[in-house]
Amino acid sequence: REDKVEGERLMGEIETLRKTLEEEQAQSTKNAQEYESTLATYTSQQDALNAQIAEREDAIATLTKDLGASQKQIEVIQLEMEVLQSKVDEAAELNSYNTQLQKELDAAKTNLAEKTSAMETQMKEKESMISSLETELESSKKVVATTEKAL
């Protein structure tokens, strides 16, 4: 009878251990499924992140290429600006030279006007003298004609 009780006790423990084992197996299976699901999620996220990294690397490569092109454009524009500045400087020099020539031309015009005025004055004086001499000559001719008639 003790053996029977001992056997029943052992059978109860075995049944308890079996149930516990089944529960732990079920929990392990559930944990394994959750782990696989979590691992699949992580793998999916990793793939998505790798795809984003690849896209960003492509974008960086494109931007780097664009940056290089932009730098070349900037160099071309800077060279064009240097050429234009050179032309502006040259135009300023020409403008300064033109201003100087304009001043010389104005001075020459003023000098010409003064000389023209002086010459006109001299011409008027000479015309006046010629007119006076012509009047005197006419007068002398009349005297000579009168003298000839008288002789």
Side-chain angles (χ1 to χ4, degrees):
R1 189 171 150 115
E2 276 184 24
D3 284 340
K4 191 175 181 185
V5 170
E6 182 65 23
E8 286 178 8
R9 185 186 66 75
L10 287 175
M11 284 303 274
E13 284 182 19
I14 289 174
E15 185 60 30
T16 303
L17 287 174
R18 189 183 59 75
K19 284 183 182 180
T20 303
L21 178 64
E22 286 176 359
E23 288 173 0
E24 287 179 2
Q25 284 177 339
Q27 186 63 38
S28 278
T29 302
K30 181 181 174 187
N31 288 344
Q33 289 173 345
E34 287 176 2
Y35 173 77
E36 287 177 10
S37 174
T38 302
L39 183 61
T41 301
Y42 287 155
T43 302
S44 175
Q45 288 175 348
Q46 183 179 10
D47 291 345
L49 289 172
N50 285 337
Q52 285 180 351
I53 288 170
E55 286 176 11
R56 290 188 178 154
E57 286 174 346
D58 288 345
I60 289 170
T62 300
L63 289 173
T64 302
K65 183 179 170 184
D66 291 347
L67 177 63
S70 294
Q71 287 173 335
K72 287 180 183 178
Q73 285 178 335
I74 288 170
E75 290 172 5
V76 168
I77 290 170
Q78 285 175 334
L79 181 60
E80 289 174 354
M81 285 177 57
E82 289 173 10
V83 169
L84 289 174
Q85 185 61 48
S86 173
K87 289 181 179 182
V88 166
D89 293 344
E90 185 179 322
E93 287 177 24
L94 289 173
N95 192 22
S96 174
Y97 183 67
N98 283 344
T99 301
Q100 180 184 350
L101 286 177
Q102 186 63 46
K103 287 178 183 177
E104 290 177 15
L105 179 61
D106 291 344
K109 284 180 180 178
T110 301
N111 189 17
L112 178 62
E114 289 172 358
K115 286 184 179 179
T116 300
S117 176
M119 291 177 99
E120 286 175 352
T121 301
Q122 286 178 357
M123 284 175 58
K124 286 180 183 176
E125 288 175 358
K126 289 184 180 182
E127 285 174 354
S128 176
M129 288 173 70
I130 289 172
S131 177
S132 178
L133 288 173
E134 284 176 343
T135 304
E136 200 176 303
L137 179 63
E138 282 300 319
S139 176
S140 293
K141 280 184 184 178
K142 286 181 185 176
V143 170
V144 168
T146 306
T147 305
E148 280 180 354
K149 283 185 184 178
L151 289 172

